[in-house]
Amino acid sequence: MIPQNAKTKLKELGITLPEAAKPVANYVPAIIAGSQLIISGQLPFRDGKLVATGLLGQTVSLEQGTEAARWCMVNIIAQAQAALDGSLGRIKRLIRLGGFVASTPDFTNQPQVINGASDLAVAVFEDAGKHARSAVGVASLPLNAAVEIEALFEIAT
């Protein structure tokens, strides 16, 4: 079961969850199916602006990409909280992250970029934040974002 102090962990990390972003197309940001909470891909928004735009290996550094992935995870947690009526207490564990990194064909550090999200998940949810994942390079992402990440959680029913 998720530590009851996830909100405390966020506060200790200096993170205030933003309001969950509204969809930018014809989809829903989150779906609960039985004991699963599926979060649609989240972009690296901070204070309403994208943290990093462009391609890793070209205009975006590894450090900027990692920070963008961290903000994707912040927005994933915000979506989870909204889907669970304001409480993270129903989360049992993070099962999987799917990470997409806009990058040049010769950029191969996608796993290090997505570590920005994985590291934050473990910092907030402790052992329940350890997860399976993919880290895929893509030619482009919506709004020219450098990173997009989707998530799958197990929740108490």
Side-chain angles (χ1 to χ4, degrees):
M1 197 69 146
I2 195 82
Q4 292 301 313
N5 58 352
K7 285 190 177 188
T8 302
K9 296 274 187 185
L10 287 165
K11 188 174 182 178
E12 288 172 0
L13 294 166
I15 297 171
T16 301
L17 291 179
E19 183 175 326
K22 305 286 187 238
V24 297
N26 188 17
Y27 65 91
V28 294
I31 290 179
I32 295 174
S35 64
Q36 295 185 339
L37 170 61
I38 302 106
I39 305 293
S40 295
Q42 297 297 300
L43 300 178
F45 282 106
R46 178 179 61 202
D47 300 327
K49 296 180 182 174
L50 287 170
V51 171
T53 57
L55 299 177
L56 277 286
Q58 188 174 74
T59 57
V60 180
S61 71
L62 179 60
E63 294 76 19
Q64 290 170 316
T66 302
E67 181 69 6
R70 179 180 170 87
W71 280 98
C72 289
M73 191 68 215
V74 168
N75 291 306
I76 286 168
I77 297 168
Q79 289 291 356
Q81 180 174 271
L84 298 171
D85 299 322
S87 173
L88 298 173
R90 285 180 57 197
I91 294 175
K92 288 185 173 184
R93 74 169 300 117
L94 174 58
I95 297 171
R96 180 184 183 282
L97 291 180
F100 304 93
V101 180
S103 51
T104 60
D106 61 334
F107 183 83
T108 59
N109 289 322
Q110 289 85 359
Q112 289 79 6
V113 171
I114 302 304
N115 278 347
S118 294
D119 292 348
L120 180 59
V122 173
V124 172
F125 300 123
E126 299 174 345
D127 282 345
K130 294 179 181 176
H131 53 275
R133 75 169 203 202
S134 58
V136 179
V138 297
S140 67
L141 289 168
L143 306 177
N144 197 31
V147 181
E148 180 175 357
I149 302 176
E150 61 188 15
L152 174 63
F153 292 91
E154 179 185 8
I155 59 172
T157 55

